[in-house]
Amino acid sequence: MTTDARLSSLTSSAYQQALEVIASVEPRIAEATRQELVDQRGSLKLIASENYASPAVLLTMGTWFSDKYAEGTVGHRFYAGCQNVDTVEALAAEHARELFGAPYAYAQPHSGIDANLVAYWSILAHRVESPALQRLGAKNVNELTEADWESLRGELGNQRLLGMSLDAGGHLTHGFRPNISGKMFHQQQYGTDPETGLLDYDVVRAKAKEFKPLVLVAGYSAYPRRVNFATMREIADEVGATLMVDMAHFAGLVAGKVFTGDEDPVPHAHVVTTTTHKSLRGPRGGLVLAQEDYAPEVDRGCPMVLGGPLSHVMAAKAVALAEARQPEFRTYAQQVADNAKSLADGFLSRGARLVTGGTDNHIVLLDVSGFGLTGRQAESALLEAGVVTNRNSVPQDPNGAWYTSGIRLGTPALTTRGFGHDEFDRVAELMVHVLQNTQPGTTKDGKASKASYVLGDGVADKVRAASAEMLDKHPLYPGLDLA
Ligand code: DSN
């Protein structure tokens, strides 16, 4: 038996036994867990922010580390008995620093939103507290009086933030109203060029000069192109702003050295945030990387804006980051980008329209208005055919953020399964077939609907059968048998 086969067999027995234990208490949860694997195995997962973590990462999350409280930082906890959590958190941070070449790493954020909250807090505190401490003659924040804090509170709020607009691919946490960042900051946005869909750095510079933000945010969740972070830093420096980069989506491409030099945010930004579960292929969670002088404020993330650290997830982050430091991860990351090109070319050669005309990262943004559909209709029809995607706005979207005109696609998950050029071309072919055979539906009273749709007879079955051929060739968690 090879090591891989031995590990698969061990994984299989570990999960069979775990599900038996779970079923002894709540069989419906055991069954839903088993069914989730069946569903993920049997569909084309093209959600750009999802992936498949390794069994080692998944198994690391299911332990008694979940039972431990550990507020504070490594070696400085508010609870006794944290020596093993210290080992775990220190290792996660060390792997993150080594992997990304970052001076400082903080592994506690529970999610991307949390990582961004820690980053915003640390930037505001760094920008406001340091001069205030000097002014008030205090050495550190613990020396400030309640009256000092009263005056500081006014300075901590109502700051200016410049980020990418949502319909150009920015994220809710970059100063938009449904997120606390939209309340903490006065926000203005930079978009993309209306003709090309590309970021125009001259426009970003002009906006920055006019608005004079305290924080310039770069990064995206639906922009299918690379960003020059050296230029973004120049712009930030010209207006005295702090550059924060949210690399949640493309952290795997940074880790895998697909994005280097000006495209690597880590040497250019003051603070970088990410999630660990997207292209980075780790457990669901967040991470903050920072220049050394931001470390004291970032370290106060818990309990300032975070609850108790999830030690079991930090352990899994350490395992995933160790995986990402292996040479195979670079091959994987390059394949993610190559596959995105294959997928984009597959659409373009069949006459579909893509925002920006293509991709050079892991995202393809398909404009489905050419098929006469909204994003919502396209998403539902594709799901019926076993293709899992999510609808997304396109720039200046006439259908707004709920119905949308786009479908966002990403290659990280199917690349993990082993899909290559030919399979991604076939995926584009199958998707175009679905969209060409979908008609907009009507509401119950016969009016045009932006949500309902009619999929042609037999289309879903045909596409599911064609997908199954590819999926069977690239099994998810091979050897893992839960039958
Ligand atoms: N939900 C993530 C995504 O899909 O991009 C970002 O928050």
Side-chain angles (χ1 to χ4, degrees):
M1 202 186 263
T2 65
T3 310
D4 278 354
R6 196 177 85 80
L7 285 179
S8 293
S9 161
L10 285 175
T11 303
S12 196
S13 2
Y15 278 112
Q16 279 170 20
Q17 289 163 27
L19 288 180
E20 210 176 306
V21 174
I22 296 165
S24 72
V25 180
E26 177 44 290
R28 289 168 297 182
I29 291 296
E31 176 49 24
T33 306
R34 196 194 62 78
Q35 187 60 42
E36 180 62 22
L37 180 62
V38 172
D39 292 353
Q40 290 204 23
R41 277 179 163 164
S43 54
L44 290 171
K45 189 200 264 207
L46 287 157
I47 292 186
S49 47
E50 292 187 6
N51 210 327
Y52 304 105
S54 72
V57 168
L58 297 180
L59 285 166
T60 307
M61 279 187 281
T63 78
W64 29 92
F65 267 124
S66 171
D67 299 330
K68 188 77 196 92
Y69 252 119
E71 264 129 333
T73 48
V74 177
H76 302 275
R77 305 284 181 186
F78 291 90
Y79 292 83
C82 294
Q83 60 281 2
N84 299 309
V85 179
D86 281 352
T87 303
V88 157
E89 184 170 353
L91 266 173
E94 180 187 318
H95 280 310
R97 287 194 307 272
E98 294 293 326
L99 176 64
F100 292 109
Y104 168 77
Y106 185 63
Q108 291 193 21
H110 309 165
S111 70
I113 284 187
D114 289 359
N116 285 352
L117 256 185
V118 172
Y120 290 140
W121 148 254
S122 69
I123 292 168
L124 287 173
H126 189 75
R127 297 288 300 254
V128 172
E129 282 180 5
S130 312
L133 290 177
Q134 273 187 355
R135 201 171 66 230
L136 299 165
K139 282 200 190 60
N140 65 54
V141 286
N142 297 330
E143 292 183 11
L144 297 180
T145 64
E146 196 42 47
D148 294 334
W149 275 113
E150 192 53 41
S151 69
L152 265 182
R153 268 193 273 277
E155 293 176 46
L156 276 167
N158 301 324
Q159 302 287 350
R160 288 185 296 273
L161 178 149
L162 181 63
M164 194 177 207
S165 66
L166 268 185
D167 71 349
H171 191 254
L172 280 179
T173 55
H174 301 175
F176 292 93
R177 231 167 281 132
N179 179 256
I180 184 71
S181 59
K183 319 271 185 223
M184 289 165 68
F185 292 101
H186 290 305
Q187 195 255 26
Q188 284 200 9
Q189 304 156 29
Y190 54 85
T192 45
D193 183 272
E195 295 298 315
T196 63
L198 297 172
L199 204 49
D200 181 337
Y201 297 95
D202 291 337
V203 172
V204 180
R205 179 176 276 110
K207 283 242 169 204
K209 287 195 165 156
E210 191 191 330
F211 185 49
K212 296 194 178 43
L214 180 95
V215 192
L216 175 63
V217 179
Y220 51 79
S221 61
Y223 179 65
R225 296 289 175 176
R226 301 183 184 197
V227 173
N228 186 322
F229 296 109
T231 303
M232 292 303 260
R233 174 60 186 261
E234 272 171 29
I235 295 171
D237 285 348
E238 283 168 29
V239 299
T242 300
L243 177 63
M244 174 186 142
V245 176
D246 178 347
M247 65 169 183
H249 256 267
F250 51 91
L253 301 188
V254 178
K257 306 293 176 222
V258 177
F259 291 179
T260 57
D262 292 352
E263 294 166 355
D264 176 352
V266 179
H268 302 295
H270 298 92
V271 182
V272 176
T273 61
T274 185
T275 51
T276 44
H277 50 273
K278 298 187 175 85
S279 53
L280 199 49
R281 210 166 57 182
R284 188 158 291 280
L287 200 62
V288 178
L289 308 173
Q291 299 303 322
E292 204 62 70
D293 52 335
Y294 283 80
E297 287 88 5
V298 175
D299 259 349
R300 279 154 52 207
C302 167
M304 186 63 72
V305 292
L306 295 177
L310 308 178
S311 305
H312 55 308
V313 181
M314 290 198 293
K317 286 175 192 172
V319 173
L321 292 163
E323 287 176 348
R325 292 181 67 191
Q326 299 301 313
E328 297 79 15
F329 194 84
R330 293 193 184 192
T331 310
Y332 163 71
Q334 187 57 54
Q335 192 64 51
V336 166
D338 292 348
N339 282 344
K341 279 201 171 32
S342 304
L343 183 63
D345 291 346
F347 282 117
L348 294 171
S349 67
R350 293 173 177 91
R353 183 181 171 267
L354 301 180
V355 173
T356 79
T359 178
D360 51 28
N361 56 22
H362 63 295
I363 294 173
V364 172
L365 191 53
L366 177 63
D367 183 342
V368 292
S369 57
F371 294 96
L373 300 170
T374 63
R376 174 101 190 259
Q377 290 161 331
E379 176 192 85
S380 303
L382 288 164
L383 183 65
E384 191 179 329
V387 185
V388 188
T389 66
N390 70 283
R391 64 188 185 278
N392 207 98
S393 304
V394 301
Q396 295 94 44
D397 200 314
N399 286 322
W402 181 248
Y403 293 108
T404 82
S405 304
I407 287 288
R408 185 187 66 164
L409 307 166
T411 51
L414 289 179
T415 303
T416 295
R417 280 185 82 148
F419 276 46
H421 168 81
D422 292 350
E423 282 101 347
F424 272 101
D425 181 63
R426 179 83 168 126
V427 168
E429 184 186 4
L430 294 173
M431 287 182 64
V432 168
H433 181 66
V434 172
L435 298 172
Q436 283 175 336
N437 287 283
T438 303
Q439 303 298 323
T442 50
T443 60
K444 280 191 196 114
D445 47 4
K447 295 198 181 117
S449 164
K450 288 186 175 188
S452 64
Y453 67 97
V454 181
L455 182 58
D457 283 346
V459 173
D461 288 345
K462 182 179 155 191
V463 169
R464 279 183 182 275
S467 302
E469 273 178 35
M470 292 188 282
L471 292 166
D472 289 349
K473 274 196 208 131
H474 301 286
L476 176 61
Y477 304 124
L480 172 52
D481 181 8
L482 296 185

